[in-house]
Amino acid sequence: MPRKPSRKRPTTKRGARATRAAPSAVTPLATIRLGAAAKRSFAVRHLPIPPKFDKPKRIHPRRVLPFIREGLERQFHSTTRSATLRTAKTLAEAIAMPAEDVVLKLDTELVQAGQQQTASNVGEPSAARSGDVVFYTGNWYAAMSADGGKSFKYIDPATAFAAADPPDSHFCCDQVVNYIPAIDTFVWLLQYGPDTGDNIQRLAFAKSDDVVRGRWHLFDVTTAMLGVPGAFLDFPDLAVGANHLYLTTNIFQGTDQAGSGVVRIPFDEIGSGAITAKRYVSMELQSFRVAQNCGETAYFAAHRDTSTLAVYAWNGNDDSPTETAVGVARWIGGNGYQSRTPDGRRWLDRADPRITGATMAGKELWFAWSVDRGSNQRPNPFVQIAHIDASNLTLIDNINVFDVDSATAYAALGTNADSEVGISYMIGGGPRHPSHAVGILTNTRRDVIVAAGDRGPLLDPQTGKGEWGDFLAVRPLFPDRKDFVATGYTMKGPGDGSNRDATPRLVVFGRAGTGAAPVSPGPAPVGVPGGAGPVVQPGGPGPIPDVNALSVLGTAAATAVKRAAGIVATLAAPRAQPAALAPELATKPGVERWPVKTGQDPDVALVGKNVLAGTDLGPGIIPATVEELISAPRPPDMADPLELYEPYQARRAGPVETTIWRVEGTITAMKLESDGDYHLVLQGASGETMIGEIPTPTPAFVGTCPWIGNIKDARKAVDDKFVSHLAPQAFVLMGNQLVPRDAVTVPPTTPMTMARSFLPPPGAEASNVQPFKTQVPPTRARITGVGFFDKVHGQMGVSQANGIELHPVLRIEWI
């Protein structure tokens, strides 16, 4: 059992404690109904990298919170000691550490978000994990992992649910994710525009398996539901109780009034088409935060003044909460705190005292916020925490998370199964660039710097401020809840001249003696400027502190490592040798839905006729875009793109598969597959991709296909444009397929028999060639072909959402 902290009960000198029924500025306190948004279910696409987010010409300006009024000076302060910061340990050291210490058990960088200028220094990352399923969000991007957070695929939140967007509305930009273990459901909250008010907070729900498959269903929370028409909703959050989900949001009316609202949603209605929820709205207070891990009674808080918290208790059986005033140590707030990084940059110019962390551990509440320097006579901004007895709502203690040299800010809080409180926060200024830290506050307190930043933020060109924030996340790792899952980010490397290249990270941490075994997290920061730990040189016992100090190893070492990893390449040599290898030839047609792919199915006569529900629109080609086709829903009886459906083996799913489509786009890559198809990656204007397939145009492959002449012409167009210029001698064998020499970094040692061309000799079968794949010069084309829903199984360029292809391609026009 965790050791209880000593309880310091407040006396009457610590400020009056008063309980009252909480008045609502919005009357009457209503039951609201959340209807499903637009349609019951949405399929989202999982992408290898996040698409670059094209910001709208106008996004909503940042709403600045009104100042918290000054409170009374209290006769008590925090006597918390400064955190003893250390850096993450190596795997071997972590295993040998004392059980009460804190170690990182997983540390994954979502590097693509920074590389695509999708993540920013106002990053607001959030995540939740259950087993191997992880969902991660930040400003402008979202990501999913099916391997416990070791790797991620990305989602474009701007387009994921666009079909349900209200008129003149767009996604921007706050997102939060949480997990409801009682019903095995991830909940994803997205904030939308427009700029001027009456925006929405959108809730998307998915079971764990559906997160992996990309299936979500939606409900929208509107200003009308909250009884505040014309207002703007901002700074959302989610908390999970025993039987209810809680959504909080700030509510801005005009330029100088800010309130806050709480929506209570019962778990047992989330799977339905409509939810009966309760709301509580106050236009007196701002930035409500509901405590994570609360039971049937939810506790939430806001600042009434700079030395008083308004703490609310809302029982699940009651229509309205009660409010209790709890005195805390007086602090200094404002809009913007003072802290400079080693490169002279400001990073807390937009910080404010809104509550960023709230959790319940046993019968104790913890509420965290950032305060400016000078509070409690400390020289740097720091995180203040009110530690409160939930049974009588009296203060146990003020806790300061601070460092003598640097500022701390943006703390998130969570609780594990042992009623320990985990924290994730940022530390920077003085000797440190903004860096990510995690820790456990209860029992034996420990703090660990996860990642040291390389630089401070650039000044925002519009505001002229050095900005960071506004929140992080820390959750229990389900199902055993022994460890914590946390988010953070840093600015890495020299930068690209913007603040949109921050690197987010997912961290699993916990006590050394509990939860999951540590997973080697890769290089962790050691020797953080400012004295967090000793500098360890490359090759020493600790983590590698600086990859820039490493040299590139030679061929022998690289070959040995790749062989150990199972990566084998074979040289493509033009000469034949008795014992030489030869790549597999594309000699056999495919199997899965092959009649439909090649026009040998009973429905082939319907293709291109455009007869819809008895209405004859006339035969012809339908123009479309890549983006339009990949948004096409699959039929309900073949909805899962990861599965095969036997009834469709030789039947078409109309109207998509009975239509001849024409799209314009850019061909970026191609391959010859073992079933004889040319596989083309076609990219649309947004960067989304889909596949076009051209079968081998011989009866052995396409039988009695009526379009064999068209297929021959399309195949020849690709041969002339791309294939005739490829030299097989410049390829090497990996697995059973040839790839360009540039795709491997170790020269192969085994020679191989190769043809002189990827084109068959005159008069020879077109199938007697060797499968390959390669990039091609990006080439604009107009491609005409028949729609086809394929199974998604990791194909190059596949539309993850629906597996749509043009198969077969019947015409290619270069443009």
Side-chain angles (χ1 to χ4, degrees), residues 79-404:
T79 57
T80 314
R81 293 181 179 179
S82 175
T84 302
L85 289 163
R86 62 166 178 78
T87 51
K89 298 291 185 179
T90 63
L91 179 60
E93 290 174 313
I95 293 173
M97 288 173 68
E100 72 273 10
D101 217 330
V102 172
V103 297
L104 303 188
K105 303 185 179 184
L106 180 71
D107 182 7
T108 300
E109 293 182 339
L110 283 73
V111 293
Q112 296 94 336
Q115 292 170 349
Q116 290 292 100
Q117 291 191 332
T118 306
S120 68
N121 64 319
V122 184
E124 303 177 343
S126 179
R129 173 179 163 184
S130 178
D132 286 336
V133 181
V134 183
F135 201 75
Y136 195 110
T137 63
N139 276 355
W140 313 111
Y141 66 95
M144 182 280 300
S145 171
D147 59 9
K150 297 175 187 176
S151 63
F152 283 88
K153 293 182 178 179
Y154 291 84
I155 298 165
D156 182 1
T159 60
F161 308 124
D165 290 355
D168 301 319
S169 182
H170 54 77
F171 162 76
C172 176
C173 351
D174 292 355
Q175 299 177 81
V176 181
V177 63
N178 215 320
Y179 176 72
I180 308 172
I183 55 173
D184 178 34
T185 296
F186 284 79
V187 53
W188 175 15
L189 188 156
L190 305 92
Q191 181 169 299
Y192 284 72
D195 308 335
T196 55
D198 282 323
N199 65 326
I200 64 170
Q201 302 286 7
R202 171 164 288 169
L203 292 168
F205 297 99
K207 300 286 187 181
S208 293
D209 288 345
D210 287 335
V211 171
V212 177
R213 289 182 170 90
R215 295 173 173 172
W216 298 82
H217 62 278
L218 308 181
F219 296 87
D220 289 348
V221 176
T222 68
T223 55
M225 292 175 183
L226 296 179
V228 287
F232 186 86
L233 309 179
D234 194 25
F235 188 60
D237 192 40
L238 296 169
V240 176
N243 298 301
H244 295 88
L245 172 72
Y246 299 90
L247 179 154
T248 57
T249 181
N250 273 339
I251 302 169
F252 290 90
Q253 288 189 322
T255 59
D256 58 355
Q257 186 179 16
S260 196
V262 183
V263 178
R264 185 179 73 192
I265 300 169
F267 294 163
D268 58 8
E269 294 187 10
I270 286 175
S272 69
I275 293 173
T276 302
K278 297 286 187 181
R279 76 178 188 210
Y280 174 74
V281 172
S282 170
M283 296 308 296
E284 292 184 78
L285 302 175
Q286 58 189 254
S287 305
F288 284 151
R289 207 72 160 183
V290 176
Q292 303 290 337
N293 196 49
C294 57
E296 180 54 24
T297 296
Y299 294 91
F300 56 98
H303 297 299
R304 189 157 285 284
D305 58 45
T306 60
S307 62
T308 308
L309 276 182
V311 181
Y312 293 80
W314 194 2
N315 185 275
N317 297 318
D318 296 338
D319 285 338
S320 59
T322 58
E323 177 192 343
T324 299
V326 179
V328 299
R330 184 175 174 272
W331 46 268
I332 299 172
N335 287 312
Y337 296 164
Q338 303 174 58
S339 180
R340 285 187 181 269
T341 57
D343 49 13
R345 295 174 179 171
R346 306 191 304 269
W347 73 291
L348 291 181
D349 284 359
R350 66 178 274 152
D352 57 44
R354 70 185 76 187
I355 295 176
T356 57
T359 196
M360 188 170 186
K363 297 295 184 182
E364 298 171 358
L365 295 165
W366 302 65
F367 293 102
W369 62 97
S370 304
V371 300
D372 203 357
R373 67 181 187 179
S375 301
N376 206 10
Q377 300 181 344
R378 303 204 187 282
N380 298 296
F382 63 91
V383 173
Q384 181 163 324
I385 298 175
H387 182 197
I388 296 169
D389 188 335
S391 64
N392 55 21
L393 294 184
T394 57
L395 187 71
I396 297 172
D397 198 6
N398 286 283
I399 296 171
N400 292 174
V401 178
F402 72 100
D403 182 77
V404 294

